[in-house]
Amino acid sequence: MAGRPAWRHVASGVVFREVPGGTFRMGLSEAELAAVRVIERGGGVEDTLEPFFAGAGDAQPVREVRVESFLIARHPLTVAQVRHWLPEYEDDYADVESGTARLEDDLDDLLDALPFRLPSEAEWEYAARAGTTTLTFRGDGKPGEDQVLDDFGDEQRTAAAENAFGLAAMGSANEICADVWIPGFAGAPADARPRNGDGPSAVRGGAADVYPWQSCDEWLLLLAATRYEHAQFTAVRPVAPMPPRR
């Protein structure tokens, strides 16, 4: 699998990658906003991006965050993997068992059954960036439909989509995080702890949820810093503790 170490939860088939610890600049930077403006000026947008720019404060201010190493699933849980814990699970969105599972009424049941936890927003963004500071791990160019991956039955295609941490489909499905939704990062911790509280959870990604794209600039959902509050269905990409060092 792209030559990176992997840990498999044998019973469910979920593959985890190690994300090394470090620090990063979390949030939507001025450089990233400028990169989006370059795409806009180059005629690479279909609709006005003013709502995106008006909502930029939801992912600001940019701050340095310290992250400890952790294991995170190589890709969101598939329908088949969810059925390991919820045998009666039926998915209204996936056509194949190797496709990303999107949970609605079954979400709480899955989270109760999982022996793993959800990533914090800081962990998710750190994993998505994989050491980069650009719009996506592939750079500041406009991400295209080739970056959307929603079915993991083809190992070669999945491996080709991985970032430097060996993670695929970061940004494709909307993935729920452990944090409660709070607009902006004012007062957020300098480490990767989730922000707790009452209300809906924070969500990252979602470009595949509106595929095929309908000329509404859904590519913005692939950006590492894009965030919003959970409303309906969601995908789950669990985090596991680091294995003991030998």
Side-chain angles (χ1 to χ4, degrees):
M1 297 178 185
R4 291 191 58 86
W7 289 262
R8 183 183 298 274
H9 184 251
V10 176
S12 65
V14 178
V15 172
F16 290 88
R17 300 285 203 196
E18 178 181 353
V19 174
T23 60
F24 80 114
R25 301 283 290 173
M26 179 177 179
L28 187 60
S29 70
E30 293 303 317
E32 288 172 293
L33 288 171
V36 175
R37 286 292 191 193
V38 168
I39 294 170
E40 182 182 45
R41 289 196 298 271
V45 304
E46 289 80 18
D47 299 314
T48 176
L49 297 191
E50 289 315 306
F52 169 78
F53 291 111
D58 286 345
Q60 293 175 331
V62 175
R63 71 194 197 286
E64 187 169 277
V65 178
R66 182 179 64 260
V67 183
E68 301 295 330
S69 59
F70 61 98
L71 297 183
I72 189 168
R74 185 190 187 202
H75 54 70
L77 295 182
T78 66
V79 173
Q81 290 166 346
V82 168
R83 284 179 180 156
H84 169 72
W85 289 284
L86 304 179
E88 304 302 318
Y89 173 68
E90 295 294 333
D91 195 286
D92 295 329
Y93 303 97
D95 296 325
V96 292
E97 289 200 341
S98 56
T100 299
R102 288 175 173 79
L103 296 108
E104 292 184 275
D105 297 337
D106 296 308
L107 177 61
D108 288 340
D109 291 337
L110 177 65
L111 296 181
D112 287 342
L114 278 178
F116 314 115
R117 64 174 176 85
L118 293 175
S120 68
E121 278 199 87
E123 288 173 326
W124 193 97
E125 185 173 325
Y126 180 72
R129 290 186 180 279
T132 67
T133 58
T134 47
L135 292 175
T136 73
F137 74 93
R138 290 185 176 176
D140 277 331
K142 176 183 176 181
E145 295 176 5
D146 63 314
Q147 286 188 234
V148 171
L149 185 61
D150 211 36
D151 179 358
F152 307 100
D154 184 332
E155 170 57 30
Q156 185 173 1
R157 184 163 184 248
T158 302
E162 291 180 345
N163 65 16
F165 289 162
L167 305 173
M170 300 293 290
S172 282
N174 61 344
E175 298 182 22
I176 193 167
C177 295
D179 303 61
V180 68
W181 167 254
I182 301 173
F185 294 132
D191 58 24
R193 287 173 296 167
R195 294 189 289 177
N196 300 316
D198 297 325
S201 298
V203 170
R204 296 301 191 103
D209 300 327
V210 284
Y211 185 83
W213 294 349
Q214 301 297 307
S215 299
C216 297
D217 295 304
E218 288 95 342
W219 57 271
L220 293 165
L221 292 167
L222 285 165
L223 306 191
T226 298
R227 61 188 297 267
Y228 53 99
E229 63 182 288
H230 175 234
Q232 291 180 288
F233 56 80
T234 186
V236 172
R237 187 191 296 254
V239 167
M242 287 293 298
R245 297 294 185 183
R246 295 181 178 179

